[in-house]
Amino acid sequence: MSSSTTFLDASTANAVLNEYGRRDGLSVESLMDEQLSGGLTYNDFLVLPGFIDFAAEKASLESKITKKIALKTPFLSSPMDTVTEAEMAISMALLGGIGIIHNNCSAEEQAQMVRTVKKFENGFIIDPVVLSPKHTVADVKEIKSKFGFCGVPITENGKLHSKLVGIVTARDIQFHAENDTPLKDIMTTELVVGREGITLSEANEILCSSKKGKLPIVDSEGSLVALLSRSDLLKNQNYPNASKVTKSKQLLVGAAVGTRPDDRERLTLLAEAGLDVAVIDSSQGNSVYQIEMLRWVKQTFPDLEVIAGNVVTREQAANLIEAGADGLRIGMGSGSICITQEVMACGRPQATAVYRVSEFARRFGVPTIADGGIGNVGHIIKALALGASAVMMGGLLAGTTETPGEYFYHEGQRLKRYRGMGSLDAMGQKTGGNDGNAATKRYFSEGDSVKVAQGVVGNVVDKGSVRKFIQYLVTGVQHSLQDIGYSSVVEMQDAVYEGKVRFEKRTAAAQMEGGVHGLHSFEKKLFSA
């Protein structure tokens, strides 16, 4: 550089930016111009950094998944039979997300899983399990096996709204070998109770001061009307972001249903069990079957939130929005175990699908869920930046402790089975349904004499507990928001549509540069707990 070069005044640097006429990088609409770039997936672009003026831990991930349900953590576990049953759904809800229980089982089994989640944590338990003095220790042990707890109030006739006469806890039966002993012989009769009309905070204070495990709530005549659990108080302290129903304080839970006649019977059982959100599960949601099912659900269960899908185009979304969908699930063929795009030549690259559908649904106040293709923290923040209200994860959660199935060892690694719902394995699952199982109904294959696979079966490495893994994902997304310069998901999305958040396409060389490279060997640990 010549010594005679004249430089601009450094104090005018921001003003000089205006001379460029536009911000650095691309707007989201320019990024997603299919005529120039074709369809894009998450690895095809980056979000450009912004200005940091807040701590990452202050970033809010709160976002809606339906018109009425908002989550502190915008994560859903996928309704796959190797991903989400009751244990996963409980953990997801405690961590601020929600689990969607799979339907590749009998309706009764799925409803029981919903009940298990709903019974796990409560404020005032308005429908507690109650026994009479004539019941036996065996009855309490059966409740322990079925529901996971054994603190049971005892009333005169074994029903709610009957006079409270005692309570049986784990200490009463722990070392009691005689299962036929009547409860009247072992129950505790000196009780600390709360009076009907007491507030939740007042009841919690009594629990703390009395050091009791359960607080029965009784009316003026001493009849049992509700119950409060000390274990729920501890859960509230350990999981402050838990997804709960406002009034009952029960955990939120979702479940998948199909579009066939017997799914109406299934949904009725799920609603009776306390279901909060139904996910109509289909690989291609723009069908007369789903529209009819959606309209029936909204008419029969008007208070039940319904997520419809899957869709990847505005045209698909429009039909479901008109039919009453409270949320939309986006994705077709982008999952790690899905081969729909390869076999059926139908689908759409996920980033383009998420943006096009979300931009359209946003105009009607319908939240969207990016389902498929989520492989890391970066994919989550990209899906949210493109307009998705939340992400649904299958493969990313597969292999965690809370997923169904047993671990096994292969070549020194601890693994778990993970299969696509379009795999022949899943399609062959016996569930006792009249119209095929969940996998065949999802792919409209229940009447086929030859099943065409749209998914595969694989193995994934043990990831440990989802309760640690989700915390890693949350922290990662918070740091991504910090780098982009917005302290909440909602603020970032508004800035995207206003053109303030900018993007950059990535060449193959750029993608290689952005990953680990140039090393002889390396160890990649994602997080430390």
Side-chain angles (χ1 to χ4, degrees), residues 336-339 418-425 453-458:
S336 62
I337 40 67
C338 186
I339 56 174
Y418 174 51
R419 70 184 185 187
M421 294 303 289
S423 66
L424 296 180
D425 257 27
Q454 295 190 48
V456 300
V457 179

Side-chain angles (χ1 to χ4, degrees), residues 305-317:
E305 295 289 275
V306 183
I307 296 171
N310 281 31
V311 298
V312 293
T313 69
R314 290 187 294 248
E315 288 75 13
Q316 289 177 299

Side-chain angles (χ1 to χ4, degrees), residues 426-438:
M427 289 184 180
Q429 181 85 18
K430 302 296 183 183
T431 64
N434 298 324
D435 300 312
N437 69 9

Side-chain angles (χ1 to χ4, degrees), residues 52-60 478-479 482 487:
I52 297 174
D53 60 357
F54 61 93
E57 64 187 27
K58 301 296 184 182
S60 170
Q478 287 178 317
H479 278 278
Q482 184 186 47
S487 60

Side-chain angles (χ1 to χ4, degrees), residues 367-386:
T368 58
I369 298 160
D371 173 26
I374 301 294
N376 54 48
V377 171
H379 292 168
I380 295 173
I381 196 67
K382 288 177 183 180
L384 296 174
L386 293 175

Side-chain angles (χ1 to χ4, degrees), residues 516 519-526:
V516 180
L519 301 179
H520 171 268
S521 59
F522 67 93
E523 182 180 17
K524 189 175 183 179
K525 289 185 177 180
L526 295 178

Side-chain angles (χ1 to χ4, degrees), residues 31 66 154 165 187 243 291 297 305 308 386 403 408 452 521:
L31 173 73
T66 70
I154 310 301
V165 295
M187 68 184 185
S243 304
I291 291 170
V297 176
E305 295 289 275
L386 293 175
T403 56
F408 63 94
V452 178
S521 59

Side-chain angles (χ1 to χ4, degrees), residues 441-494:
K441 286 190 282 189
R442 187 176 200 275
Y443 294 91
F444 307 103
S445 301
E446 60 270 40
D448 295 351
S449 57
V450 175
K451 298 289 188 286
V452 178
Q454 295 190 48
V456 300
V457 179
N459 303 319
V460 289
V461 176
D462 175 16
K463 294 187 178 82
S465 174
V466 76
R467 300 194 187 189
K468 292 182 179 179
F469 190 68
I470 290 292
Q471 294 294 350
Y472 150 68
L473 297 179
V474 167
T475 302
V477 173
Q478 287 178 317
H479 278 278
S480 294
L481 284 171
Q482 184 186 47
D483 284 342
I484 296 168
Y486 292 90
S487 60
S488 75
V489 171
V490 174
E491 285 182 11
M492 176 187 67
Q493 291 177 337
D494 288 342

